[in-house]
Amino acid sequence: MEAPSEAPRPEPGPPTTTRTLLALDVAELEQVFVGLGAKPFHARIARENVLAKGLVEWEAMTSLPASLRSDLARELPILAGRETARSAAVDRTTKILIEFPREKQRDASVEVVHMPSLSLDADPDERDGATLCVSTQAGCPIGCPFCASGQLGLARNLHAHEILEQYVRGRTLGRLSRSVVMGMGEPLLNFTNLQSALDAVHDEMGLGSRRVTVSTVGFPDRLRAIAPNRPRFQLAISLHTPDQEQRDELVPAMRGIGIEDVLKAGDDWFEKTGREITYEYVLLHGVNDSAGHARRLADRLRGRRATVNLIPYNPVAESPYRRPEGASVEAFRRVLADERVVATVRWSRGVESDAACGQLRLRHARTR
Ligand code: SAH
């Protein structure tokens, strides 16, 4: 048998050659501005207009001279992608599909979901803000059978500026108070690019590190490599079952990597970063939602510095899985609570508008 490999795909090779405001670094951007007869500080103002203020049209940047603005409108696009679809739900959740330039003939469409906080939110900073869900890859190589993103496989990793662009586009829909890296793709398989985008989100968009959550299937070696750098985000690991055989089915790319190894890497993460982990558990009716599953999950997690986030399955077209009833979700949570494991429930928002990650893209791919 082949030795288990932690890395189904390599990270991308050379950096992008795309010439947009977001793709250029500060020095390159200053060069472009100087080339147009402007001053280097104008470049910094422009970047701030985009990242801190959410302006995505040169004409709107009234803090720049008018003639410079019209030169820039001709010379330098701000964003690389194109919005190709948008859907909105009654709870004001908006989902947009962004198409990034094709590379090697591969389509690179990703989804961004903007979820305004509900007015009942206790935290004042949340109340008028929104949570943005972003993607790290076009498609996904993990292959979870209940997830829409994996069904078309991996197209490609996103560049750092493409990940950042999702934040910029999200910002145009309203102020961001939180972000979850829970869209398409596996963040740890494109981590260098994600990290560089998140640095800009932290430093230039001002989103605090406790307000960003990265969700992963939890490759232990990668977590151990990252933890010492004390990354500025909260970690969530998708576990989905306490049983090894079942995890091999539900998270196919993790075959050969034991649940205990993942949990141990989670413990190490807490030691190194001082931040508690969340274990995500998608509840699938009749598959992993029995009382026995809850008890065995509690056995695995009891005494660990971690909480559980239960996610009732969000139906995907043509999928055999079903969402459990509210009462059985609550029963599962109760068993965990009785076993001294803290769990919260996350009902998906915007369900009527294809809001389960990967659904909008899957529908588009199928109708083309
Ligand atoms: N690859 C990463 C991040 C992307 S998915 C990971 O697996 O964690 C973010 C979360 O949404 C994961 O926990 C994933 O299992 C869950 N998810 C995927 N499809 C879902 C669906 N149809 N309903 C509910 N949760 C889903």
PDB file of all heavy atoms in Angstrom, residues 225-261:
ATOM      1  N   ALA A 225       3.156  22.790  11.339  1.00  0.00           N
ATOM      2  CA  ALA A 225       4.100  23.716  10.699  1.00  0.00           C
ATOM      3  C   ALA A 225       3.633  25.162  10.852  1.00  0.00           C
ATOM      4  O   ALA A 225       4.435  26.082  10.968  1.00  0.00           O
ATOM      5  CB  ALA A 225       4.253  23.365   9.224  1.00  0.00           C
ATOM      6  N   ILE A 226       2.332  25.355  10.873  1.00  0.00           N
ATOM      7  CA  ILE A 226       1.776  26.709  10.892  1.00  0.00           C
ATOM      8  C   ILE A 226       1.717  27.294  12.309  1.00  0.00           C
ATOM      9  O   ILE A 226       1.985  28.478  12.518  1.00  0.00           O
ATOM     10  CB  ILE A 226       0.337  26.687  10.312  1.00  0.00           C
ATOM     11  CG1 ILE A 226       0.359  26.315   8.836  1.00  0.00           C
ATOM     12  CG2 ILE A 226      -0.352  28.020  10.509  1.00  0.00           C
ATOM     13  CD1 ILE A 226      -1.024  25.939   8.312  1.00  0.00           C
ATOM     14  N   ALA A 227       1.385  26.448  13.279  1.00  0.00           N
ATOM     15  CA  ALA A 227       1.088  26.933  14.636  1.00  0.00           C
ATOM     16  C   ALA A 227       2.171  27.833  15.245  1.00  0.00           C
ATOM     17  O   ALA A 227       1.843  28.857  15.860  1.00  0.00           O
ATOM     18  CB  ALA A 227       0.796  25.750  15.560  1.00  0.00           C
ATOM     19  N   PRO A 228       3.470  27.497  15.093  1.00  0.00           N
ATOM     20  CA  PRO A 228       4.490  28.331  15.736  1.00  0.00           C
ATOM     21  C   PRO A 228       4.492  29.781  15.243  1.00  0.00           C
ATOM     22  O   PRO A 228       4.984  30.665  15.937  1.00  0.00           O
ATOM     23  CB  PRO A 228       5.813  27.639  15.363  1.00  0.00           C
ATOM     24  CG  PRO A 228       5.435  26.252  15.000  1.00  0.00           C
ATOM     25  CD  PRO A 228       4.070  26.333  14.415  1.00  0.00           C
ATOM     26  N   ASN A 229       3.934  30.032  14.069  1.00  0.00           N
ATOM     27  CA  ASN A 229       3.878  31.415  13.574  1.00  0.00           C
ATOM     28  C   ASN A 229       2.707  32.187  14.165  1.00  0.00           C
ATOM     29  O   ASN A 229       2.466  33.328  13.793  1.00  0.00           O
ATOM     30  CB  ASN A 229       3.761  31.432  12.045  1.00  0.00           C
ATOM     31  CG  ASN A 229       4.820  30.581  11.389  1.00  0.00           C
ATOM     32  OD1 ASN A 229       5.936  30.471  11.905  1.00  0.00           O
ATOM     33  ND2 ASN A 229       4.485  29.943  10.277  1.00  0.00           N
ATOM     34  N   ARG A 230       1.981  31.547  15.071  1.00  0.00           N
ATOM     35  CA  ARG A 230       0.840  32.160  15.718  1.00  0.00           C
ATOM     36  C   ARG A 230      -0.049  32.928  14.737  1.00  0.00           C
ATOM     37  O   ARG A 230      -0.183  34.144  14.820  1.00  0.00           O
ATOM     38  CB  ARG A 230       1.302  33.075  16.855  1.00  0.00           C
ATOM     39  CG  ARG A 230       2.110  32.318  17.902  1.00  0.00           C
ATOM     40  CD  ARG A 230       2.750  33.217  18.914  1.00  0.00           C
ATOM     41  NE  ARG A 230       1.769  33.964  19.703  1.00  0.00           N
ATOM     42  CZ  ARG A 230       1.042  33.452  20.674  1.00  0.00           C
ATOM     43  NH1 ARG A 230       1.143  32.201  20.989  1.00  0.00           N
ATOM     44  NH2 ARG A 230       0.195  34.190  21.342  1.00  0.00           N
ATOM     45  N   PRO A 231      -0.635  32.207  13.797  1.00  0.00           N
ATOM     46  CA  PRO A 231      -1.452  32.876  12.775  1.00  0.00           C
ATOM     47  C   PRO A 231      -2.625  33.632  13.406  1.00  0.00           C
ATOM     48  O   PRO A 231      -3.131  33.239  14.460  1.00  0.00           O
ATOM     49  CB  PRO A 231      -1.950  31.738  11.898  1.00  0.00           C
ATOM     50  CG  PRO A 231      -1.728  30.500  12.664  1.00  0.00           C
ATOM     51  CD  PRO A 231      -0.634  30.755  13.631  1.00  0.00           C
ATOM     52  N   ARG A 232      -3.000  34.704  12.704  1.00  0.00           N
ATOM     53  CA  ARG A 232      -4.019  35.584  13.280  1.00  0.00           C
ATOM     54  C   ARG A 232      -5.421  35.196  12.833  1.00  0.00           C
ATOM     55  O   ARG A 232      -6.112  35.943  12.153  1.00  0.00           O
ATOM     56  CB  ARG A 232      -3.681  37.022  12.904  1.00  0.00           C
ATOM     57  CG  ARG A 232      -2.362  37.429  13.555  1.00  0.00           C
ATOM     58  CD  ARG A 232      -1.981  38.839  13.243  1.00  0.00           C
ATOM     59  NE  ARG A 232      -1.681  39.026  11.843  1.00  0.00           N
ATOM     60  CZ  ARG A 232      -1.137  40.126  11.340  1.00  0.00           C
ATOM     61  NH1 ARG A 232      -0.859  41.130  12.145  1.00  0.00           N
ATOM     62  NH2 ARG A 232      -0.900  40.240  10.064  1.00  0.00           N
ATOM     63  N   PHE A 233      -5.816  33.984  13.205  1.00  0.00           N
ATOM     64  CA  PHE A 233      -7.195  33.565  12.960  1.00  0.00           C
ATOM     65  C   PHE A 233      -7.566  32.468  13.946  1.00  0.00           C
ATOM     66  O   PHE A 233      -6.715  31.897  14.619  1.00  0.00           O
ATOM     67  CB  PHE A 233      -7.378  33.080  11.509  1.00  0.00           C
ATOM     68  CG  PHE A 233      -6.423  31.986  11.079  1.00  0.00           C
ATOM     69  CD1 PHE A 233      -6.580  30.674  11.514  1.00  0.00           C
ATOM     70  CD2 PHE A 233      -5.372  32.269  10.224  1.00  0.00           C
ATOM     71  CE1 PHE A 233      -5.702  29.670  11.102  1.00  0.00           C
ATOM     72  CE2 PHE A 233      -4.489  31.267   9.807  1.00  0.00           C
ATOM     73  CZ  PHE A 233      -4.658  29.970  10.257  1.00  0.00           C
ATOM     74  N   GLN A 234      -8.847  32.192  14.033  1.00  0.00           N
ATOM     75  CA  GLN A 234      -9.351  31.077  14.834  1.00  0.00           C
ATOM     76  C   GLN A 234      -9.389  29.845  13.943  1.00  0.00           C
ATOM     77  O   GLN A 234      -9.662  29.952  12.747  1.00  0.00           O
ATOM     78  CB  GLN A 234     -10.771  31.377  15.302  1.00  0.00           C
ATOM     79  CG  GLN A 234     -10.916  32.641  16.125  1.00  0.00           C
ATOM     80  CD  GLN A 234     -10.313  32.480  17.500  1.00  0.00           C
ATOM     81  OE1 GLN A 234      -9.398  33.189  17.864  1.00  0.00           O
ATOM     82  NE2 GLN A 234     -10.817  31.537  18.255  1.00  0.00           N
ATOM     83  N   LEU A 235      -9.142  28.691  14.543  1.00  0.00           N
ATOM     84  CA  LEU A 235      -9.106  27.461  13.759  1.00  0.00           C
ATOM     85  C   LEU A 235     -10.352  26.605  14.001  1.00  0.00           C
ATOM     86  O   LEU A 235     -10.773  26.409  15.137  1.00  0.00           O
ATOM     87  CB  LEU A 235      -7.864  26.644  14.131  1.00  0.00           C
ATOM     88  CG  LEU A 235      -7.632  25.380  13.319  1.00  0.00           C
ATOM     89  CD1 LEU A 235      -7.255  25.707  11.874  1.00  0.00           C
ATOM     90  CD2 LEU A 235      -6.542  24.523  13.953  1.00  0.00           C
ATOM     91  N   ALA A 236     -10.916  26.109  12.906  1.00  0.00           N
ATOM     92  CA  ALA A 236     -12.006  25.137  12.991  1.00  0.00           C
ATOM     93  C   ALA A 236     -11.595  23.911  12.188  1.00  0.00           C
ATOM     94  O   ALA A 236     -11.056  24.036  11.091  1.00  0.00           O
ATOM     95  CB  ALA A 236     -13.291  25.736  12.414  1.00  0.00           C
ATOM     96  N   ILE A 237     -11.808  22.736  12.761  1.00  0.00           N
ATOM     97  CA  ILE A 237     -11.457  21.497  12.067  1.00  0.00           C
ATOM     98  C   ILE A 237     -12.725  20.692  11.796  1.00  0.00           C
ATOM     99  O   ILE A 237     -13.522  20.440  12.702  1.00  0.00           O
ATOM    100  CB  ILE A 237     -10.459  20.656  12.899  1.00  0.00           C
ATOM    101  CG1 ILE A 237      -9.148  21.439  13.085  1.00  0.00           C
ATOM    102  CG2 ILE A 237     -10.193  19.306  12.221  1.00  0.00           C
ATOM    103  CD1 ILE A 237      -8.074  20.686  13.871  1.00  0.00           C
ATOM    104  N   SER A 238     -12.907  20.301  10.550  1.00  0.00           N
ATOM    105  CA  SER A 238     -14.079  19.516  10.161  1.00  0.00           C
ATOM    106  C   SER A 238     -13.848  18.058  10.520  1.00  0.00           C
ATOM    107  O   SER A 238     -13.008  17.391   9.929  1.00  0.00           O
ATOM    108  CB  SER A 238     -14.301  19.636   8.646  1.00  0.00           C
ATOM    109  OG  SER A 238     -14.613  20.960   8.312  1.00  0.00           O
ATOM    110  N   LEU A 239     -14.600  17.574  11.498  1.00  0.00           N
ATOM    111  CA  LEU A 239     -14.411  16.209  11.976  1.00  0.00           C
ATOM    112  C   LEU A 239     -15.506  15.282  11.432  1.00  0.00           C
ATOM    113  O   LEU A 239     -15.226  14.250  10.861  1.00  0.00           O
ATOM    114  CB  LEU A 239     -14.409  16.211  13.505  1.00  0.00           C
ATOM    115  CG  LEU A 239     -13.790  15.015  14.198  1.00  0.00           C
ATOM    116  CD1 LEU A 239     -12.327  14.866  13.821  1.00  0.00           C
ATOM    117  CD2 LEU A 239     -13.922  15.165  15.714  1.00  0.00           C
ATOM    118  N   HIS A 240     -16.759  15.653  11.682  1.00  0.00           N
ATOM    119  CA  HIS A 240     -17.944  14.998  11.102  1.00  0.00           C
ATOM    120  C   HIS A 240     -18.314  13.626  11.631  1.00  0.00           C
ATOM    121  O   HIS A 240     -19.422  13.152  11.365  1.00  0.00           O
ATOM    122  CB  HIS A 240     -17.853  14.909   9.571  1.00  0.00           C
ATOM    123  CG  HIS A 240     -17.635  16.219   8.889  1.00  0.00           C
ATOM    124  ND1 HIS A 240     -18.151  17.403   9.362  1.00  0.00           N
ATOM    125  CD2 HIS A 240     -16.929  16.535   7.778  1.00  0.00           C
ATOM    126  CE1 HIS A 240     -17.775  18.395   8.561  1.00  0.00           C
ATOM    127  NE2 HIS A 240     -17.035  17.888   7.602  1.00  0.00           N
ATOM    128  N   THR A 241     -17.426  12.967  12.350  1.00  0.00           N
ATOM    129  CA  THR A 241     -17.751  11.650  12.904  1.00  0.00           C
ATOM    130  C   THR A 241     -16.654  11.236  13.883  1.00  0.00           C
ATOM    131  O   THR A 241     -15.509  11.634  13.711  1.00  0.00           O
ATOM    132  CB  THR A 241     -17.871  10.582  11.787  1.00  0.00           C
ATOM    133  OG1 THR A 241     -18.046   9.300  12.393  1.00  0.00           O
ATOM    134  CG2 THR A 241     -16.632  10.559  10.905  1.00  0.00           C
ATOM    135  N   PRO A 242     -17.013  10.433  14.905  1.00  0.00           N
ATOM    136  CA  PRO A 242     -15.980   9.930  15.813  1.00  0.00           C
ATOM    137  C   PRO A 242     -15.387   8.610  15.314  1.00  0.00           C
ATOM    138  O   PRO A 242     -14.455   8.082  15.920  1.00  0.00           O
ATOM    139  CB  PRO A 242     -16.756   9.692  17.113  1.00  0.00           C
ATOM    140  CG  PRO A 242     -18.149   9.375  16.658  1.00  0.00           C
ATOM    141  CD  PRO A 242     -18.370  10.134  15.374  1.00  0.00           C
ATOM    142  N   ASP A 243     -15.935   8.068  14.239  1.00  0.00           N
ATOM    143  CA  ASP A 243     -15.549   6.715  13.813  1.00  0.00           C
ATOM    144  C   ASP A 243     -14.616   6.763  12.604  1.00  0.00           C
ATOM    145  O   ASP A 243     -14.937   7.361  11.571  1.00  0.00           O
ATOM    146  CB  ASP A 243     -16.805   5.906  13.456  1.00  0.00           C
ATOM    147  CG  ASP A 243     -17.792   5.868  14.620  1.00  0.00           C
ATOM    148  OD1 ASP A 243     -17.346   5.998  15.785  1.00  0.00           O
ATOM    149  OD2 ASP A 243     -19.008   5.751  14.360  1.00  0.00           O
ATOM    150  N   GLN A 244     -13.478   6.087  12.735  1.00  0.00           N
ATOM    151  CA  GLN A 244     -12.443   6.172  11.697  1.00  0.00           C
ATOM    152  C   GLN A 244     -12.939   5.743  10.316  1.00  0.00           C
ATOM    153  O   GLN A 244     -12.723   6.434   9.327  1.00  0.00           O
ATOM    154  CB  GLN A 244     -11.230   5.312  12.098  1.00  0.00           C
ATOM    155  CG  GLN A 244     -10.036   5.524  11.191  1.00  0.00           C
ATOM    156  CD  GLN A 244      -9.554   6.973  11.212  1.00  0.00           C
ATOM    157  OE1 GLN A 244      -9.348   7.558  12.267  1.00  0.00           O
ATOM    158  NE2 GLN A 244      -9.415   7.574  10.033  1.00  0.00           N
ATOM    159  N   GLU A 245     -13.640   4.592  10.281  1.00  0.00           N
ATOM    160  CA  GLU A 245     -14.072   4.080   8.982  1.00  0.00           C
ATOM    161  C   GLU A 245     -15.011   5.074   8.297  1.00  0.00           C
ATOM    162  O   GLU A 245     -14.931   5.306   7.094  1.00  0.00           O
ATOM    163  CB  GLU A 245     -14.821   2.770   9.216  1.00  0.00           C
ATOM    164  CG  GLU A 245     -14.599   1.729   8.151  1.00  0.00           C
ATOM    165  CD  GLU A 245     -15.272   0.431   8.577  1.00  0.00           C
ATOM    166  OE1 GLU A 245     -14.808  -0.186   9.568  1.00  0.00           O
ATOM    167  OE2 GLU A 245     -16.266   0.062   7.941  1.00  0.00           O
ATOM    168  N   GLN A 246     -15.868   5.684   9.106  1.00  0.00           N
ATOM    169  CA  GLN A 246     -16.819   6.631   8.545  1.00  0.00           C
ATOM    170  C   GLN A 246     -16.127   7.920   8.102  1.00  0.00           C
ATOM    171  O   GLN A 246     -16.487   8.518   7.094  1.00  0.00           O
ATOM    172  CB  GLN A 246     -17.918   6.956   9.571  1.00  0.00           C
ATOM    173  CG  GLN A 246     -19.026   7.796   8.976  1.00  0.00           C
ATOM    174  CD  GLN A 246     -20.246   7.865   9.867  1.00  0.00           C
ATOM    175  OE1 GLN A 246     -20.157   8.155  11.056  1.00  0.00           O
ATOM    176  NE2 GLN A 246     -21.404   7.576   9.300  1.00  0.00           N
ATOM    177  N   ARG A 247     -15.093   8.319   8.831  1.00  0.00           N
ATOM    178  CA  ARG A 247     -14.403   9.549   8.409  1.00  0.00           C
ATOM    179  C   ARG A 247     -13.690   9.322   7.076  1.00  0.00           C
ATOM    180  O   ARG A 247     -13.640  10.206   6.224  1.00  0.00           O
ATOM    181  CB  ARG A 247     -13.398  10.034   9.459  1.00  0.00           C
ATOM    182  CG  ARG A 247     -12.915  11.461   9.112  1.00  0.00           C
ATOM    183  CD  ARG A 247     -12.270  12.180  10.274  1.00  0.00           C
ATOM    184  NE  ARG A 247     -12.215  13.619  10.045  1.00  0.00           N
ATOM    185  CZ  ARG A 247     -11.135  14.282   9.633  1.00  0.00           C
ATOM    186  NH1 ARG A 247     -10.009  13.649   9.408  1.00  0.00           N
ATOM    187  NH2 ARG A 247     -11.177  15.594   9.446  1.00  0.00           N
ATOM    188  N   ASP A 248     -13.177   8.107   6.901  1.00  0.00           N
ATOM    189  CA  ASP A 248     -12.535   7.795   5.618  1.00  0.00           C
ATOM    190  C   ASP A 248     -13.517   7.960   4.455  1.00  0.00           C
ATOM    191  O   ASP A 248     -13.121   8.282   3.343  1.00  0.00           O
ATOM    192  CB  ASP A 248     -11.980   6.362   5.619  1.00  0.00           C
ATOM    193  CG  ASP A 248     -10.782   6.218   6.556  1.00  0.00           C
ATOM    194  OD1 ASP A 248     -10.223   7.247   6.983  1.00  0.00           O
ATOM    195  OD2 ASP A 248     -10.416   5.063   6.861  1.00  0.00           O
ATOM    196  N   GLU A 249     -14.801   7.712   4.730  1.00  0.00           N
ATOM    197  CA  GLU A 249     -15.815   7.894   3.686  1.00  0.00           C
ATOM    198  C   GLU A 249     -16.231   9.345   3.542  1.00  0.00           C
ATOM    199  O   GLU A 249     -16.414   9.847   2.438  1.00  0.00           O
ATOM    200  CB  GLU A 249     -17.089   7.114   4.059  1.00  0.00           C
ATOM    201  CG  GLU A 249     -17.106   5.689   3.613  1.00  0.00           C
ATOM    202  CD  GLU A 249     -18.241   4.937   4.302  1.00  0.00           C
ATOM    203  OE1 GLU A 249     -19.336   5.527   4.485  1.00  0.00           O
ATOM    204  OE2 GLU A 249     -18.017   3.779   4.691  1.00  0.00           O
ATOM    205  N   LEU A 250     -16.425  10.018   4.688  1.00  0.00           N
ATOM    206  CA  LEU A 250     -16.968  11.380   4.643  1.00  0.00           C
ATOM    207  C   LEU A 250     -15.914  12.416   4.263  1.00  0.00           C
ATOM    208  O   LEU A 250     -16.235  13.479   3.753  1.00  0.00           O
ATOM    209  CB  LEU A 250     -17.611  11.753   5.985  1.00  0.00           C
ATOM    210  CG  LEU A 250     -18.858  10.953   6.374  1.00  0.00           C
ATOM    211  CD1 LEU A 250     -19.399  11.412   7.727  1.00  0.00           C
ATOM    212  CD2 LEU A 250     -19.955  11.082   5.304  1.00  0.00           C
ATOM    213  N   VAL A 251     -14.639  12.117   4.554  1.00  0.00           N
ATOM    214  CA  VAL A 251     -13.548  13.051   4.207  1.00  0.00           C
ATOM    215  C   VAL A 251     -12.460  12.250   3.483  1.00  0.00           C
ATOM    216  O   VAL A 251     -11.402  11.958   4.047  1.00  0.00           O
ATOM    217  CB  VAL A 251     -12.981  13.734   5.480  1.00  0.00           C
ATOM    218  CG1 VAL A 251     -12.054  14.891   5.101  1.00  0.00           C
ATOM    219  CG2 VAL A 251     -14.100  14.238   6.390  1.00  0.00           C
ATOM    220  N   PRO A 252     -12.723  11.875   2.239  1.00  0.00           N
ATOM    221  CA  PRO A 252     -11.872  10.903   1.539  1.00  0.00           C
ATOM    222  C   PRO A 252     -10.387  11.273   1.473  1.00  0.00           C
ATOM    223  O   PRO A 252      -9.539  10.380   1.564  1.00  0.00           O
ATOM    224  CB  PRO A 252     -12.472  10.863   0.123  1.00  0.00           C
ATOM    225  CG  PRO A 252     -13.885  11.301   0.297  1.00  0.00           C
ATOM    226  CD  PRO A 252     -13.880  12.290   1.414  1.00  0.00           C
ATOM    227  N   ALA A 253     -10.053  12.534   1.346  1.00  0.00           N
ATOM    228  CA  ALA A 253      -8.631  12.897   1.222  1.00  0.00           C
ATOM    229  C   ALA A 253      -7.857  12.647   2.510  1.00  0.00           C
ATOM    230  O   ALA A 253      -6.626  12.672   2.515  1.00  0.00           O
ATOM    231  CB  ALA A 253      -8.487  14.358   0.800  1.00  0.00           C
ATOM    232  N   MET A 254      -8.573  12.383   3.608  1.00  0.00           N
ATOM    233  CA  MET A 254      -7.903  12.135   4.882  1.00  0.00           C
ATOM    234  C   MET A 254      -7.710  10.648   5.166  1.00  0.00           C
ATOM    235  O   MET A 254      -7.275  10.275   6.258  1.00  0.00           O
ATOM    236  CB  MET A 254      -8.689  12.782   6.022  1.00  0.00           C
ATOM    237  CG  MET A 254      -8.704  14.290   5.955  1.00  0.00           C
ATOM    238  SD  MET A 254      -7.049  15.007   6.166  1.00  0.00           S
ATOM    239  CE  MET A 254      -6.948  15.076   7.959  1.00  0.00           C
ATOM    240  N   ARG A 255      -8.039   9.804   4.190  1.00  0.00           N
ATOM    241  CA  ARG A 255      -7.805   8.371   4.365  1.00  0.00           C
ATOM    242  C   ARG A 255      -6.351   8.132   4.732  1.00  0.00           C
ATOM    243  O   ARG A 255      -5.470   8.689   4.104  1.00  0.00           O
ATOM    244  CB  ARG A 255      -8.108   7.619   3.067  1.00  0.00           C
ATOM    245  CG  ARG A 255      -9.499   7.036   3.088  1.00  0.00           C
ATOM    246  CD  ARG A 255      -9.859   6.405   1.762  1.00  0.00           C
ATOM    247  NE  ARG A 255     -11.268   6.645   1.540  1.00  0.00           N
ATOM    248  CZ  ARG A 255     -11.846   6.750   0.339  1.00  0.00           C
ATOM    249  NH1 ARG A 255     -11.128   6.624  -0.749  1.00  0.00           N
ATOM    250  NH2 ARG A 255     -13.128   6.971   0.254  1.00  0.00           N
ATOM    251  N   GLY A 256      -6.133   7.302   5.760  1.00  0.00           N
ATOM    252  CA  GLY A 256      -4.753   7.031   6.161  1.00  0.00           C
ATOM    253  C   GLY A 256      -4.256   7.987   7.232  1.00  0.00           C
ATOM    254  O   GLY A 256      -3.163   7.818   7.753  1.00  0.00           O
ATOM    255  N   ILE A 257      -5.040   8.988   7.546  1.00  0.00           N
ATOM    256  CA  ILE A 257      -4.660   9.899   8.630  1.00  0.00           C
ATOM    257  C   ILE A 257      -5.693   9.737   9.743  1.00  0.00           C
ATOM    258  O   ILE A 257      -6.877  10.008   9.550  1.00  0.00           O
ATOM    259  CB  ILE A 257      -4.615  11.361   8.146  1.00  0.00           C
ATOM    260  CG1 ILE A 257      -3.581  11.499   7.019  1.00  0.00           C
ATOM    261  CG2 ILE A 257      -4.280  12.300   9.305  1.00  0.00           C
ATOM    262  CD1 ILE A 257      -3.571  12.847   6.339  1.00  0.00           C
ATOM    263  N   GLY A 258      -5.252   9.229  10.891  1.00  0.00           N
ATOM    264  CA  GLY A 258      -6.173   8.854  11.951  1.00  0.00           C
ATOM    265  C   GLY A 258      -6.817  10.041  12.644  1.00  0.00           C
ATOM    266  O   GLY A 258      -6.220  11.117  12.761  1.00  0.00           O
ATOM    267  N   ILE A 259      -8.055   9.823  13.113  1.00  0.00           N
ATOM    268  CA  ILE A 259      -8.763  10.863  13.853  1.00  0.00           C
ATOM    269  C   ILE A 259      -7.945  11.299  15.073  1.00  0.00           C
ATOM    270  O   ILE A 259      -7.847  12.494  15.368  1.00  0.00           O
ATOM    271  CB  ILE A 259     -10.162  10.359  14.290  1.00  0.00           C
ATOM    272  CG1 ILE A 259     -11.069  10.197  13.062  1.00  0.00           C
ATOM    273  CG2 ILE A 259     -10.798  11.311  15.299  1.00  0.00           C
ATOM    274  CD1 ILE A 259     -12.439   9.616  13.368  1.00  0.00           C
ATOM    275  N   GLU A 260      -7.320  10.327  15.746  1.00  0.00           N
ATOM    276  CA  GLU A 260      -6.533  10.700  16.937  1.00  0.00           C
ATOM    277  C   GLU A 260      -5.363  11.614  16.575  1.00  0.00           C
ATOM    278  O   GLU A 260      -5.010  12.509  17.331  1.00  0.00           O
ATOM    279  CB  GLU A 260      -6.024   9.461  17.691  1.00  0.00           C
ATOM    280  CG  GLU A 260      -7.009   8.875  18.692  1.00  0.00           C
ATOM    281  CD  GLU A 260      -7.607   9.906  19.706  1.00  0.00           C
ATOM    282  OE1 GLU A 260      -6.843  10.674  20.321  1.00  0.00           O
ATOM    283  OE2 GLU A 260      -8.838   9.931  19.868  1.00  0.00           O
ATOM    284  N   ASP A 261      -4.759  11.395  15.405  1.00  0.00           N
ATOM    285  CA  ASP A 261      -3.660  12.264  14.954  1.00  0.00           C
ATOM    286  C   ASP A 261      -4.161  13.687  14.751  1.00  0.00           C
ATOM    287  O   ASP A 261      -3.475  14.658  15.074  1.00  0.00           O
ATOM    288  CB  ASP A 261      -3.083  11.790  13.614  1.00  0.00           C
ATOM    289  CG  ASP A 261      -2.312  10.492  13.752  1.00  0.00           C
ATOM    290  OD1 ASP A 261      -2.062  10.085  14.912  1.00  0.00           O
ATOM    291  OD2 ASP A 261      -1.984   9.893  12.715  1.00  0.00           O
TER     292      ASP A 261
END
